[in-house]
Amino acid sequence: MKERKIMTTRKVEVERFTLISSKPFEAVLAAVRAGVGHPDMAEFAKATEGARTFAELEDSVRRGLGRTGLMLFLELDHGAILRKETGLDTPKIVRLVIGNPLIMKEMAKHVPDAGSYAPVTILLDERPDGVHLTYDKMVSLLEPYGSAEALAVARDLDSKIECLLRESAQ
């Protein structure tokens, strides 16, 4: 039996949402962090992998969520790497990977490729005109797949993220 390989390329147009805040970088970052849950990721992984039922898995996820229904998976200080090179206090650039596994599940049921986009990235970076809060909208990433069900979930996720960013920028 011959092995069959299929290769495709799909163009995805991304819609980027950006807000600019006049608040200090640290205040904006603290506000975003305050809106999401901060589970211990090692414990979270043990709990979700060890769940015997979907109800137990849901319970583990819900315990890790913040008031927005989202959690922080990873925080990367990109600016630290750049600052090491220059020895300066700037630039300030932080990438936050946030989401909710239950939301991802609902999108991936209809569009498996949703797992490539969730959890999502929020980028905070300080520029001369203020702190930029940037997010690539999930709806734009899933639109090419044509699933109304996945798009409905993506719209709700986009709304949660945009609300978090608006609150954090004020």
Side-chain angles (χ1 to χ4, degrees):
M1 182 176 198
K2 280 188 170 181
E3 187 177 319
R4 183 176 163 185
K5 295 180 183 178
I6 299 174
M7 195 165 36
T8 62
T9 301
R10 171 175 278 167
K11 185 174 186 174
V12 177
E13 189 171 315
V14 177
E15 187 176 323
R16 179 157 283 177
F17 176 87
T18 301
L19 284 172
I20 302 171
S21 176
S22 59
K23 286 174 43 177
F25 183 87
E26 290 76 14
V28 175
L29 180 57
V32 174
R33 286 178 180 149
V36 298
H38 299 268
D40 175 300
M41 279 296 135
E43 290 301 316
F44 179 74
K46 283 182 195 172
T48 55
E49 289 170 15
R52 292 174 302 223
T53 65
F54 183 68
E56 286 180 12
L57 180 111
E58 277 184 309
D59 188 51
S60 294
V61 170
R62 289 191 206 298
R63 282 194 309 267
L65 300 175
R67 66 173 172 75
T68 57
L70 303 167
M71 67 174 68
L72 177 69
F73 287 93
L74 181 66
E75 183 173 319
L76 301 165
D77 187 349
H78 294 325
I81 295 166
L82 294 163
R83 291 189 305 270
K84 290 280 185 205
E85 179 183 48
T86 64
L88 302 174
D89 292 336
T90 58
K92 294 178 183 173
I93 306 169
V94 172
R95 179 181 177 197
L96 302 165
V97 179
I98 69 167
N100 177 329
L102 302 174
I103 293 173
M104 183 279 306
K105 171 194 66 78
E106 287 304 309
M107 292 183 295
K109 281 196 307 194
H110 306 287
V111 177
D113 285 0
S116 292
Y117 310 120
V120 303
T121 289
I122 294 173
L123 188 68
L124 304 178
D125 69 285
E126 188 174 54
R127 302 181 195 178
D129 63 340
V131 177
H132 288 233
L133 298 89
T134 305
Y135 164 68
D136 293 340
K137 295 179 80 165
M138 185 62 71
V139 165
S140 68
L141 295 166
L142 296 186
E143 226 162 22
Y145 299 92
S147 169
E149 297 90 347
L151 287 172
V153 177
R155 275 187 206 92
D156 185 55
L157 176 60
D158 286 344
S159 177
K160 286 179 187 307
I161 301 289
E162 290 173 29
C163 183
L164 172 63
L165 296 183
R166 281 189 178 95
E167 289 174 1
S168 300
Q170 294 179 350

